[in-house]
C-alpha cells in the first residue's frame, strides 16, 4: 500500500511539475492531482525536492534494471546500445511529461536533494562508460576516451529528448536511436 501511494504521488507530481514547472509547483497541487490530502504526501516526502528526487531515482532505477536485463542477452555492445536507446526513447515518447521533467528539472532542485538528482544522472554516464570499457576489452570498440564518449552519448540523448519534447517533435524520438549510433559508428570495430 505504501509503495502504491508513493507511486501515485510520483505520477501526480510528473503531471503537475511538467505543466507548471518545478518552482511554480506547490505540494497542494500534487495532492489535488493525486486526489490525496496534502498531509498524506508529507507522510512520504518532506518536500517537493524529495518528490523530484524520487522521480529521478525511480527512472534511473528503471533504466538500470533494463540494462541488467540486456546484459543477460547475447548482444554486441552496439546491439545493446541500440536496444537500450529504443526502450528509453519509447518510454519517453509514451510519457512526454516524464521526459520534460528529466531534461528540464534536473538542475532546478536547490534543496538537499539536488545532489541526489545529480548522482542519479551521473549513474547513467558511469554505466555507459563501463559499457564502452567492456566493448574495448571484448574487441568490439576501438581504444577511446570512454568517459568522454559516455558523456557525449548521454548528452546526445538529453539534447534530443529536450528538443523533441519541448517543440514538440515527438517523432524525433523514434529516429533518435539509429541517429545517435550512426554518429558513434566509427568507434566500433
Amino acid at each position: 500500500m505504501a509503495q502504491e501511494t508513493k507511486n501515485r504521488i510520483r505520477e501526480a507530481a510528473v503531471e503537475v511539475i511538467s505543466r507548471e514547472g518545478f518552482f511554480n509547483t506547490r505540494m497542494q497541487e500534487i495532492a489535488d492531482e493525486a486526489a490525496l490530502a496534502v498531509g498524506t504526501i508529507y507522510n512520504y516526502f518532506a518536500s517537493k525536492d524529495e518528490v523530484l528526487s524520487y522521480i529521478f531515482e525511480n527512472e534511473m532505477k528503471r533504466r538500470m534494471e533494463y540494462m541488467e536485463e540486456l546484459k543477460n542477452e547475447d548482444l554486441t555492445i552496439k546491439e545493446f546500445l541500440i536496444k537500450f536507446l529504443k526502450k528509453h526513447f519509447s518510454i519517453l515518447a509514451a510519457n512526454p511529461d516524464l521526459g520534460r521533467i528529466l531534461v528540464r528539472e534536473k538542475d532546478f532542485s536547490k534543496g538537499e536533494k539536488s545532489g541526489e538528482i545529480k548522482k542519479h544522472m551521473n549513474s547513467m554516464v558511469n554505466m555507459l562508460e563501463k559499457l564502452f570499457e567492456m566493448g574495448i576489452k571484448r574487441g568490439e570498440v576501438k581504444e577511446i576516451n570512454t568517459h568522454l564518449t559516455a558523456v557525449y552519448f548521454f548528452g546526445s540523448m538529453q539534447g534530443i529528448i529536450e528538443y523533441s519534447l519541448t517543440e514538440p517533435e515527438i517523432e524525433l524520438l523514434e529516429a533518435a536511436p539509429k541517429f545517435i549510433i550512426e554518429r558513434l559508428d566509427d568507434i566500433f570495430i
Side-chain angles (χ1 to χ4, degrees), residues 63-176:
R63 299 314 180 275
M64 295 303 175
E65 287 170 355
Y66 183 61
M67 289 180 186
E68 286 302 315
E69 288 175 28
L70 290 177
K71 285 179 183 177
N72 295 325
E73 296 183 26
D74 187 27
L75 301 171
T76 66
I77 298 300
K78 188 175 184 178
E79 291 167 338
F80 182 103
L81 291 169
I82 291 169
K83 278 191 149 192
F84 171 74
L85 286 173
K86 284 182 179 180
K87 176 80 167 189
H88 178 65
F89 286 122
S90 70
I91 289 168
L92 299 179
N95 190 347
D97 291 339
L98 174 63
R100 283 186 204 92
I101 288 175
L102 294 178
V103 295
R104 279 194 331 213
E105 308 298 347
K106 66 185 179 299
D107 299 321
F108 290 128
S109 173
K110 301 299 181 208
E112 63 186 50
K113 297 295 179 181
S114 63
E116 287 184 24
I117 291 172
K118 185 175 175 111
K119 184 176 83 176
H120 298 314
M121 302 297 284
N122 287 340
S123 68
M124 181 70 70
V125 173
N126 293 336
M127 186 284 313
L128 289 166
E129 187 172 355
K130 288 177 184 160
L131 194 63
F132 290 125
E133 289 168 358
M134 183 185 344
I136 292 170
K137 287 178 187 167
R138 289 170 39 176
E140 297 176 27
V141 174
K142 296 176 185 174
E143 285 291 329
I144 56 169
N145 180 328
T146 56
H147 181 68
L148 185 57
T149 305
V151 169
Y152 173 82
F153 189 91
F154 185 69
S156 297
M157 291 169 53
Q158 290 286 100
I160 290 169
I161 294 164
E162 184 169 8
Y163 184 83
S164 65
L165 296 178
T166 55
E167 282 311 309
E169 291 184 44
I170 291 177
E171 66 277 0
L172 291 177
L173 295 178
E174 189 175 322

Side-chain angles (χ1 to χ4, degrees), residues 1-11 44-45 54 57:
M1 180 68 165
Q3 189 60 47
E4 184 179 306
T5 302
K6 277 184 89 169
N7 286 333
R8 189 167 154 194
I9 294 166
R10 178 184 49 79
E11 290 169 6
Y44 294 91
F45 302 99
Y54 182 68
E57 175 187 347

